[in-house]
Amino acid sequence: SQTIHQWPATLVQPVGSPLSLECTVEGTSNPNLYWYRQAAGRGLQLLFYSVGIGQISSEVPQNLSASRPQDRQFILSSKKLLLSDSGFYLCAFSQGIVDTQYFGPGTRLTVL
Amino acid sequence: AQKVTQAQTEISVVEKEDVTLDCVYETRDTTYYLFWYKQPPSGELVFLIRRNSFDEQNEISGRYSWNFQKSTSSFNFTITASQVVDSAVYFCALSVTGNTDKLIFGTGTRLQVFP
């Protein structure tokens, strides 16, 4: 069966520190991968998506970047965190165009 | 442009009551997909249902049912005989055909079911 993992589950980081969140998918190959952010009490905003290794599309210009070094690995990074980067980060995968997206457990990031 | 509106920010009911969560969408595309996800307190989004724009048949899955009406651009979700475990935030989402399958989410409806 297909599963999606994210780590860490929670993270508290000071302003200006770097960030690396990891997402991995098991049980499937060549998935589409997505990073979403959910600010407190708000809906989900798509940050990045990837249709293949090394292929990253950004939806919102910001302080974050994404990479896909392997087929089933998706990484969200920042060189210097801002207070506004706090939120709940969700990774998702799908098997193709307009297929259902399945979400990971999320990472709760607090920037102090 | 595409948009999903969930006008109900929060709904509170007592166990065993029926409750309907509203979802109104906007798109000019003729082919699109609608979804409902559940976000329990743990935070993970749980997929509930997906419908395509050519299938307006209502669907029932246990205590859950969905009413898709293209005439009113609505995709409402009803929980019959609600239970405490139904307490969560529910998101409606829209995806249109194209180069990617980006999901456009509504702002969610928080459902609280009291015993």
Side-chain angles (χ1 to χ4, degrees):
Chain A
S1 64
Q2 301 162 342
T3 55
I4 178 168
H5 306 279
Q6 287 185 246
W7 62 87
T10 60
L11 191 60
V12 180
Q13 292 284 93
V15 170
S17 63
L19 172 74
S20 181
L21 303 182
E22 189 165 343
C23 170
T24 58
V25 181
E26 296 178 354
T28 184
S29 59
N30 197 31
N32 291 345
L33 297 172
Y34 309 83
W35 278 112
Y36 290 85
R37 177 170 61 198
Q38 183 178 26
R42 301 181 69 176
L44 285 85
Q45 179 186 41
L46 178 64
L47 302 176
F48 301 95
Y49 65 90
S50 171
V51 298
I53 296 175
Q55 301 179 58
I56 308 295
S57 296
S58 174
E59 286 295 299
V60 181
Q62 59 208 318
N63 186 43
L64 302 170
S65 62
S67 62
R68 184 171 177 173
Q70 300 181 42
D71 180 44
R72 289 170 287 181
Q73 185 184 32
F74 205 22
I75 297 173
L76 184 69
S77 304
S78 174
K79 292 182 179 178
K80 289 185 178 181
L81 283 168
L82 306 172
L83 286 174
S84 57
D85 292 324
S86 292
F88 190 54
Y89 289 82
L90 287 156
C91 181
F93 78 95
S94 68
Q95 276 302 115
I97 299 298
V98 296
D99 193 15
T100 298
Q101 291 184 27
Y102 297 94
F103 288 77
T107 294
R108 195 165 302 279
L109 171 66
T110 303
V111 182
L112 301 175
Chain B
Q2 292 84 30
K3 184 180 179 182
V4 175
T5 301
Q6 294 180 255
Q8 303 153 307
T9 304
E10 188 164 338
I11 301 174
S12 295
V13 299
V14 177
E15 230 177 357
K16 298 185 182 177
E17 284 186 25
D18 298 347
V19 57
T20 295
L21 309 181
D22 297 333
C23 173
V24 175
Y25 62 92
E26 296 176 29
T27 180
R28 293 181 181 177
D29 291 73
T30 56
T31 303
Y32 52 88
Y33 298 80
L34 295 164
F35 302 80
W36 275 96
Y37 286 87
K38 173 183 180 180
Q39 187 176 40
S42 61
E44 180 177 356
L45 259 71
V46 178
F47 165 72
L48 296 178
I49 190 171
R50 160 193 159 113
R51 304 295 285 181
N52 73 58
S53 53
F54 300 108
D55 184 1
E56 282 193 76
Q57 282 198 351
N58 293 331
E59 181 156 338
I60 298 175
S61 176
R63 296 184 297 107
Y64 294 172
S65 62
W66 290 269
N67 184 343
F68 177 25
Q69 291 194 338
K70 290 178 74 171
S71 61
T72 56
S73 297
S74 65
F75 186 42
N76 296 337
F77 173 30
T78 297
I79 301 175
T80 303
S82 59
Q83 299 177 2
V84 173
V85 293
D86 295 327
S87 297
V89 180
Y90 291 86
F91 290 96
C92 181
L94 167 71
S95 177
V96 299
T97 55
N99 293 327
T100 69
D101 48 351
K102 294 186 292 185
L103 280 175
I104 299 152
F105 283 88
T107 51
T109 297
R110 181 178 299 278
L111 173 65
Q112 294 196 58
V113 182
F114 294 99

